[in-house]
Amino acid sequence: MKLSPPPIHLATIPALLPAERFTLTNGLKVVALGGVEAPVLRVELIWDAGRPFEPVKLASSFVEDLLLEGTASHSAAEVEAYFEQFGTQLDQPDVMDTSNLGVSVTHRWAAEVLPMMGEVAATAALSEESFARVLRQRRQRLREDLADNDMLAYRLITEATYGADHPYGYNGYPHTYAAVDLEQIRAYYRSHYHAGNATLFVTGKLTEAIMRLLERAFGGLPTGPAAAPHPLPPCPAPCELLQVSRPRAEQTMIRSGRAGIDINRADYPELVVMNTVFGGYFGSRLMRNIREDKGLTYGIESELDAYRYNGDFGISADVANESLSLVRREIATEAERMRQDPIGGAELEMVRAYLSGMVANSLDGVLGHASRHRAAIIKGYDPHRHLQRLSQIILEVSPQRIREVAQTYLSVGDDWELIVGGAKRIKEARLLTEATRGLSPNEEVVALAGVKS
């Protein structure tokens, strides 16, 4: 007897819990989400001091590295030991648009931990010795990164998609490290890492005592004016197919990308659905065709990255050298299907169930709601409106509308494509070699990576 598959059920996506908003006496904005029963706290300072705000390249990342290298009163070792005695440590979530400093702590030790976090934020030493050490570490890491095919592919595709001088696209090279000046780093710290340019995001069990402690720990931080981003350069055009040949590599990496993704655009939730159908989950078309049916790769996916002022949409896959041409053809075939044919009802219902379940699961508990509020602070959107619109589109978007979105975001010729590895030369590709000007301003990426033609 043939068994029928179980019915598909759509999860109910809850509304986002409201956050409390207030300011400390120094003007520091606070976004707080309580409701956690356990006596724990997550506290994070979020400065508008990421890449779009930099006066010079690498300013924000160097401040982040140096923040944990000691204060005016304590050495780096003393700061680290101080937090360790309370079973915690400062952390710096890696984001693009903001600079972040956070800590997780129990109520028992919050009165000791949070004031020290405030000291680290307000009185970072930014010493010459620490700067020289960080610079040496960065230069060593650069050579290691360029020896790794995956990291090289990431650097090159982001630089191609956004441009070598764009905040979301540039990479560190010897010439950029040589141009970094400690006095510029110190000036950036003074002008951007203060209460007037920050949000304090707090999650956990909130009591009156904790609210008073926030004022004591962070209400004395220096203040100043809010920062504005610098004008962003246009992304490069027209798009090209680029190839880095590494004959000894046993695999080849395919990376593609296009910029112009805006999380505040009305069609962004529909793009989320379209991306899921195309390559955004294990049951996607790219996975079913190229991995499951043809066995040409262990994994292939399409992915959205949305930042505050731009975003990108692209495909990534690692394939055997001899499979490169076939995989590229199958990717193009699936993109054409998305552009031409409305998605079938059963497939769409499966995607609705997957997305509604994923979103609902991410909101299981206060900490899940907190992650939505935090993302909205970093990326600059209304979290309630965004979630409401996303929930509505997941349940209501039509096959015809998904096809229209695919025609916009899977349009032919609007993606940069990068091939890195041991596959044979693609005739129409621009080959990046030591003798060919690549994406970096002075050809250092290919020279340091040991690229051979």
Side-chain angles (χ1 to χ4, degrees):
M1 182 177 67
K2 185 177 181 180
L3 297 177
S4 300
I8 295 175
H9 297 286
L10 301 183
T12 300
I13 301 175
L16 191 64
L17 293 174
E20 184 178 357
R21 298 173 182 269
F22 57 94
T23 58
L24 303 183
T25 54
N26 60 352
L28 177 62
K29 300 187 295 290
V30 180
V31 178
L33 196 65
V36 176
E37 294 184 4
V40 296
L41 285 175
R42 169 68 186 173
V43 180
E44 187 172 352
L45 274 165
I46 304 173
W47 291 280
D48 279 343
R51 284 191 169 202
F53 301 89
E54 293 175 326
V56 294
K57 293 178 181 179
L58 301 173
S60 63
S61 63
F62 266 90
V63 172
E64 288 177 358
D65 283 351
L66 293 172
L67 272 179
L68 302 187
E69 293 293 324
T71 71
S73 304
H74 297 87
S75 68
E78 289 171 338
V79 170
E80 183 178 9
Y82 184 88
F83 286 96
E84 283 182 349
Q85 69 181 318
F86 301 113
T88 190
Q89 62 182 1
L90 292 172
D91 58 73
Q92 296 173 295
D94 186 17
V95 292
M96 190 75 74
D97 291 297
T98 59
S99 186
N100 300 42
L101 181 69
V103 72
S104 299
V105 64
T106 63
H107 278 212
R108 180 182 181 184
W109 304 120
E112 284 76 21
V113 167
L114 296 188
M116 179 57 82
M117 177 182 170
E119 178 183 323
V120 170
T123 66
L126 307 185
S127 69
E128 292 184 5
E129 180 184 0
S130 297
F131 174 70
R133 181 171 59 255
V134 169
L135 193 56
R136 286 196 302 270
Q137 293 170 346
R138 289 286 194 91
R139 285 171 167 157
Q140 176 59 33
R141 196 182 314 144
L142 172 63
R143 289 196 171 272
E144 295 171 359
D145 287 347
L146 293 178
D148 179 78
N149 281 351
D150 189 54
M151 181 58 70
L152 176 63
Y154 171 78
R155 289 167 62 95
L156 288 172
I157 193 60
T158 54
E159 201 165 300
T161 301
Y162 291 106
D165 292 319
H166 195 286
Y168 300 150
Y170 80 76
N171 292 290
Y173 295 108
H175 74 278
T176 43
Y177 289 130
V180 175
D181 178 75
L182 179 57
E183 288 308 314
Q184 290 179 318
I185 302 303
R186 288 169 172 167
Y188 188 64
Y189 167 70
R190 291 191 298 268
S191 63
H192 286 70
Y193 290 73
H194 55 71
N197 195 44
T199 299
L200 185 68
F201 184 61
V202 185
T203 310
K205 186 173 183 179
L206 304 182
T207 64
E208 291 185 5
I210 291 298
M211 294 302 191
R212 291 193 297 270
L213 176 58
L214 295 178
E215 177 63 45
R216 180 160 66 88
F218 303 104
L221 296 181
T223 191
H230 295 281
L232 300 183
C235 295
C239 299
E240 291 185 84
L241 169 60
L242 309 168
Q243 186 170 10
V244 175
S245 179
R246 284 188 157 177
R248 295 181 181 179
E250 296 180 355
Q251 284 193 313
T252 293
M253 297 179 173
I254 303 171
R255 301 291 184 268
S256 70
R258 67 172 65 196
I261 305 302
D262 184 351
I263 199 169
N264 284 303
R265 271 185 58 160
D267 66 356
Y268 184 81
E270 296 161 326
L271 175 57
V272 170
V273 179
M274 190 279 291
N275 171 64
T276 305
V277 174
F278 183 55
Y281 80 124
F282 193 80
S284 70
R285 292 184 174 185
L286 290 179
M287 285 290 283
R288 290 201 314 270
N289 178 355
I290 297 171
R291 181 188 190 275
E292 297 299 303
D293 295 346
K294 296 184 173 62
L296 296 173
T297 179
Y298 181 76
I300 182 170
E301 64 178 355
S302 62
E303 187 175 12
L304 287 168
D305 280 323
Y307 306 117
R308 189 182 296 188
Y309 303 108
N310 207 325
D312 55 84
F313 170 54
I315 300 167
S316 63
D318 299 344
V319 303
N321 293 333
E322 63 273 14
S323 300
L324 174 62
S325 296
L326 180 55
V327 171
R328 292 183 68 234
R329 282 200 302 271
E330 292 301 321
I331 292 173
T333 296
E334 292 300 336
E336 180 67 11
R337 285 183 59 210
M338 292 292 301
R339 290 191 297 266
Q340 298 299 329
D341 304 326
I343 181 174
E347 184 181 10
L348 181 54
E349 287 307 304
M350 182 64 73
V351 170
R352 293 193 205 275
Y354 168 79
L355 283 173
S356 62
M358 184 185 67
V359 175
N361 185 61
S362 72
L363 295 168
D364 183 17
V366 174
L367 297 182
H369 289 257
S371 68
R372 294 266 169 179
H373 283 283
R374 177 181 178 274
I377 295 170
I378 293 171
K379 297 183 180 182
Y381 62 87
D382 184 315
H384 297 278
R385 185 180 302 121
H386 177 80
L387 180 61
Q388 183 181 37
R389 172 72 173 157
L390 177 62
S391 303
Q392 177 187 6
I393 291 301
I394 289 173
L395 298 178
E396 299 178 2
V397 66
S398 69
Q400 292 74 23
R401 181 57 185 147
I402 293 175
R403 181 178 61 181
E404 292 172 0
V405 173
Q407 290 168 352
T408 298
Y409 292 99
L410 292 175
S411 51
V412 178
D414 293 329
D415 294 276
W416 285 88
E417 186 178 2
L418 174 71
I419 308 298
V420 177
K424 294 180 180 179
R425 168 76 188 275
I426 301 174
K427 183 178 180 181
E428 63 270 26
R430 177 159 67 92
L431 191 65
L432 302 183
T433 70
E434 292 150 321
T436 302
R437 181 168 297 278
L439 301 174
S440 57
N442 59 1
E443 306 166 14
E444 287 172 310
V445 61
V446 288
L448 287 170
V451 176
K452 303 296 182 184
S453 58

